[in-house]
Amino acid sequence: EPRCRQQLRHLQDSAGIAARLPPRLEGRWVSTGCEVRPGPEFLTRSYLFYTNRLFKALQFYYWDPSCRDPSYSLVIKGKLRLRQASWITRGATEADYHLHKVGIVFHSQKAMREVASWINQTSGEGCRGFLPPGRSWAPGALYEVLSAKTERDCTAALGFAMHELSLVRVERHFQPLLQPQQSGSRLVEELYLGDIHTDWGERLHYRPTGYQRPLQSALHHVHPCPACGIISRADEHHPPILPARAALPMQLSGSWVSTHCEVRPAVLFLTRYFTFHGNNHTWEGHYYHYSDPLCRQPTFTIYASGHYSQGIPSSKVRGGTELAFKVTQARVTPMDQVTVVMLNSSEPGSCGLAGSWSAGVEQDITPTNGCLALGIKLPHTEYELFKTEQDTQERSLLYIGERPTDGSSPDSPDKRPTSYQAPLIQCAAGSEEFSNYISLKYVGRKDANGIEALKPLPVAFLLFIALLFLRWD
């Protein structure tokens, strides 16, 4: 049985993931590698939560996508109060945070000059003299950019906000031990915090509905993780310098699949499965959508195909490759009754054969130029950012550009992403390409009379359907 199917099935069984509500945050949480935020910004994070609700968060910023050349570090201190379970993002907990102070440490004269000019240009009166011009860089000096006491806040110029703390989820699972002589498994804890808006202008007031790449517990992280120890031992004066990694050429051919249930802003849960045929530059993708954060309750599946351009190195995001993807064909399979009702009530001619949708039955939406109700337009071109990497176990990972937070599509070169979604893992090499469609079974329960009974759906999802917030990507 091909590894791709196994991986998808493993995701559907949600691989023994447990998420406590409310989550327990005490302890240190660290990045597992160099993170890319929209902009692009390259950073690593080390967040420490105390039992008395206080926290101290370190963010280390770099000039380069390997996190080897630090520019400045932020020390963020404040208080966090967990509130109720989120009714928008299932499985998440909402939180309120209050910042007490934020300090910045520069790691070079160049970083100091650059940040000082941002602050002087964009801040109000109180921040004008933040750094006197011509002041020389002093290693180890900490400058205050925010203080609750003096009500001074010069952080806006940095595009800095901690709204990520307003949405929190902790997942626990067990990683099987890799060494053949060892049996058993090891606990892994991951902290998912709110996503960062892809539009720089929006990020200061955006309230997250999705997540960014998770932090892992400094005590209970995946092994091996060379970056974890380096980041957990670092402080604002000694930023982590991650080990050098060989740059890999872009190898797209083959099949790639999600490594976990993915969450998107506007509350979409999905898994993805792609095959790229390098010989003729065609691609096909399967997008399995769900209504729950463990990807157990399917709502609809999209199959799309088309062709892609030759990649060119990105000038904006070092290490990335720019591609254009053309989507020429698509098919949709509704997997639950809510989606069936929605598709059957869509405007005739806007989404397949109106009134003919039924659960578990695939329909071609190419003749209607897509499906308006699901936000799919055909034919359609997307301007993409890709990169391939190897993880610490030498497995190939594929990062595809992050979707615009506002739910739109990167359909023009200026909307090309500058950051990435969760990675896909290679499950079949180029030669093993297979295009047989992996279908997920329609999930329905029979009632006493043998009629398909509907599974109750969460209010948030019904609301979300009502708002037609469904975006395809």
Side-chain angles (χ1 to χ4, degrees):
E1 170 155 32
R3 276 173 46 211
C4 301
R5 282 163 202 253
Q6 267 174 329
Q7 171 72 5
L8 277 167
R9 195 157 292 138
H10 167 76
L11 289 178
Q12 250 212 315
D13 300 339
S14 63
I17 290 171
R20 284 175 56 161
L21 286 171
R24 288 192 53 183
L25 296 184
E26 288 78 49
R28 185 176 294 283
W29 302 84
V30 294
S31 305
T32 54
C34 197
E35 301 180 346
V36 185
R37 281 187 176 179
E41 285 182 326
F42 307 111
L43 77 159
T44 56
R45 297 178 289 155
S46 174
Y47 290 5
L48 180 60
F49 295 94
Y50 299 97
T51 43
N52 59 1
R53 307 210 300 242
L54 292 177
F55 67 85
K56 178 183 176 180
L58 295 170
Q59 294 182 348
F60 307 100
Y61 290 84
Y62 302 80
W63 299 108
D64 67 305
S66 309
C67 291
R68 292 181 53 74
D69 185 9
S71 63
Y72 64 88
S73 301
L74 295 179
V75 190
I76 304 133
K77 292 182 176 174
K79 192 163 204 171
L80 183 74
R81 187 171 65 91
L82 294 175
R83 289 172 49 224
Q84 70 281 2
S86 166
W87 64 275
I88 297 174
T89 308
R90 283 185 74 188
T93 298
E94 291 179 2
D96 288 328
Y97 69 92
H98 178 68
L99 297 183
H100 296 156
K101 51 168 76 168
V102 178
I104 188 167
V105 175
F106 300 104
H107 303 303
S108 68
Q109 180 77 44
K110 177 186 167 195
M112 184 171 179
R113 259 203 319 273
E114 195 162 285
V115 172
S117 77
W118 294 340
I119 291 179
N120 291 340
Q121 275 164 30
T122 53
S123 305
E125 281 307 305
C127 300
R128 267 300 136 65
F130 167 68
L131 281 174
R135 178 83 167 273
S136 71
W137 168 59
L142 179 78
Y143 301 92
E144 203 166 75
V145 284
L146 177 148
S147 161
K149 259 199 192 100
T150 64
E151 295 185 355
R152 184 164 104 137
D153 182 357
C154 308
T155 58
L158 301 169
F160 168 83
M162 281 304 277
H163 301 324
E164 61 193 272
L165 292 177
S166 59
L167 199 68
V168 181
R169 175 177 168 89
V170 172
E171 283 188 3
R172 305 175 59 152
H173 66 268
F174 286 88
Q175 177 195 15
L177 296 175
L178 296 170
Q179 285 72 18
Q181 70 275 17
Q182 295 175 300
S183 62
S185 56
R186 151 191 299 123
L187 174 66
V188 175
E189 291 188 304
E190 297 189 301
L191 170 61
Y192 287 84
L193 294 173
D195 61 312
I196 308 296
H197 203 290
T198 51
D199 177 344
W200 187 274
E202 296 289 325
R203 67 198 267 179
L204 297 183
H205 47 254
Y206 168 67
R207 290 290 165 177
T209 53
Y211 304 116
Q212 55 188 309
R213 179 168 162 177
L215 300 174
Q216 292 192 357
S217 158
L219 292 176
H220 304 293
H221 58 76
V222 163
H223 285 261
C225 175
C228 295
I230 297 172
I231 296 169
S232 63
R233 289 189 294 272
D235 63 40
E236 60 270 31
H237 303 297
H238 309 92
I241 312 269
L242 298 191
R245 302 186 54 183
L248 292 177
M250 185 75 193
Q251 295 288 354
L252 254 192
S253 283
S255 296
W256 307 81
V257 66
S258 296
T259 59
H260 63 278
C261 183
E262 300 169 6
V263 184
R264 293 279 164 77
V267 203
L268 275 178
F269 302 102
L270 79 162
T271 57
R272 297 172 291 148
Y273 164 56
F274 290 104
T275 299
F276 299 97
H277 308 274
N279 50 359
N280 59 4
H281 275 230
T282 58
W283 69 279
E284 34 195 334
H286 302 88
Y287 304 80
Y288 304 100
H289 291 79
Y290 302 84
S291 62
D292 68 298
L294 291 177
C295 288
R296 284 177 173 165
Q297 297 161 15
T299 52
F300 62 96
T301 295
I302 296 168
Y303 165 83
S305 63
H307 44 269
Y308 60 96
S309 66
Q310 192 70 44
I312 57 163
S314 167
S315 53
K316 219 170 176 184
V317 188
R318 265 195 294 159
T321 299
E322 296 184 351
L323 295 154
F325 270 76
K326 187 137 189 164
V327 190
T328 49
Q329 286 182 300
R331 305 196 291 263
V332 170
T333 312
M335 301 294 278
D336 70 346
Q337 217 49 43
V338 173
T339 311
V340 170
V341 169
M342 182 187 74
L343 294 177
N344 277 332
S345 55
S346 62
E347 183 101 7
S350 72
C351 186
L353 270 173
S356 69
W357 292 93
S358 60
V361 181
E362 184 177 65
Q363 206 184 125
D364 192 348
I365 55 167
T366 314
T368 51
N369 298 325
C371 179
L372 199 59
L374 296 177
I376 305 171
K377 287 202 240 11
L378 292 173
H380 177 70
T381 300
E382 301 210 326
Y383 294 85
E384 263 302 355
L385 179 73
F386 275 49
K387 76 169 172 181
T388 47
E389 263 185 14
Q390 279 196 321
D391 68 6
T392 50
Q393 295 164 40
E394 311 280 290
R395 297 175 303 185
S396 294
L397 301 178
L398 172 65
Y399 290 83
I400 299 181
E402 198 169 344
R403 310 296 304 176
T405 307
D406 64 9
S408 65
S409 158
D411 52 11
S412 61
D414 60 305
K415 290 177 80 174
R416 194 187 296 276
T418 54
S419 56
Y420 302 98
Q421 298 174 46
L424 304 171
I425 194 159
Q426 189 165 38
C427 55
S431 57
E432 285 177 53
E433 288 167 3
F434 56 93
S435 58
N436 46 347
Y437 186 20
I438 295 180
S439 99
L440 296 172
K441 289 182 197 67
Y442 162 59
V443 184
R445 271 204 312 248
K446 297 235 186 323
D447 67 11
N449 309 320
I451 299 157
E452 286 282 4
L454 295 183
K455 288 199 161 179
L457 273 142
V459 177
F461 186 64
L462 295 170
L463 173 79
F464 148 64
I465 294 265
L467 293 172
L468 276 189
F469 228 136
L470 285 170
R471 306 298 307 203
W472 169 65
D473 39 58

